[in-house]
Amino acid sequence: MIVTPDPIGPGQESVWAYPRPAVAEPSGRHVRIEHRGRVIADTRASIRTIETSHPPSYYVPPADVLASVLRRSAHRSFCEWKGHAVYWDLVTDGAVLSDVAWSYPSPTRAFAMLRDHLAFYAAPLDACSVDGERVAPQPGGFYGGWITSDLAGPFKGVPGSRYW
């Protein structure tokens, strides 16, 4: 399938210029996650992963996450590049968001910097932001990328993108 990248506007980067396989890189952007009136994560020391056709996923250092509201889930997955992931439930005010975050306790060598950092799905949370801009979740519900106005798509996850 041939995909035509969206035009790149001023100050934007195209997810079609991102590498494949994926890479991880330090990010100094301000990442903040809020849910039910609580700050779940707040950092300027995240790591973003980027991959062709995907908006970035932001991984937050464990020291910048409110660990008291997280509970390890039984869910697991495998990424061909990053390795085995574990998942986390968010438990706050008696409500549970199942498998809302994931981490790599023993990532592959190429992704060693991700060790124990947490990434979050934006859709179930009240507010996720990058540099003060509320993000849109990557479409489709499977991937955990965060879409901001400085990105040009189209983004993996939309209908018909399975084989991109």
Side-chain angles (χ1 to χ4, degrees), residues 138-160:
Q138 184 171 4
F142 178 75
Y143 301 106
W146 290 10
I147 300 171
T148 51
S149 62
D150 60 350
L151 299 175
F155 305 104
K156 175 90 170 173
V158 297

Side-chain angles (χ1 to χ4, degrees), residues 77-160:
S77 68
F78 177 76
C79 171
E80 62 187 309
W81 296 306
K82 296 180 217 80
H84 293 275
V86 298
Y87 287 75
W88 301 87
D89 299 335
L90 178 69
V91 183
T92 183
D93 298 330
V96 177
L97 293 179
S98 297
D99 302 326
V100 73
W102 70 96
S103 64
Y104 293 91
S106 298
T108 62
R109 186 176 311 166
F111 288 88
M113 69 174 66
L114 293 182
R115 183 177 314 280
D116 296 325
H117 286 54
L118 290 114
F120 291 80
Y121 289 102
L125 295 158
D126 290 344
C128 297
S129 63
V130 175
D131 291 339
E133 178 186 350
R134 189 179 203 123
V135 306
Q138 184 171 4
F142 178 75
Y143 301 106
W146 290 10
I147 300 171
T148 51
S149 62
D150 60 350
L151 299 175
F155 305 104
K156 175 90 170 173
V158 297

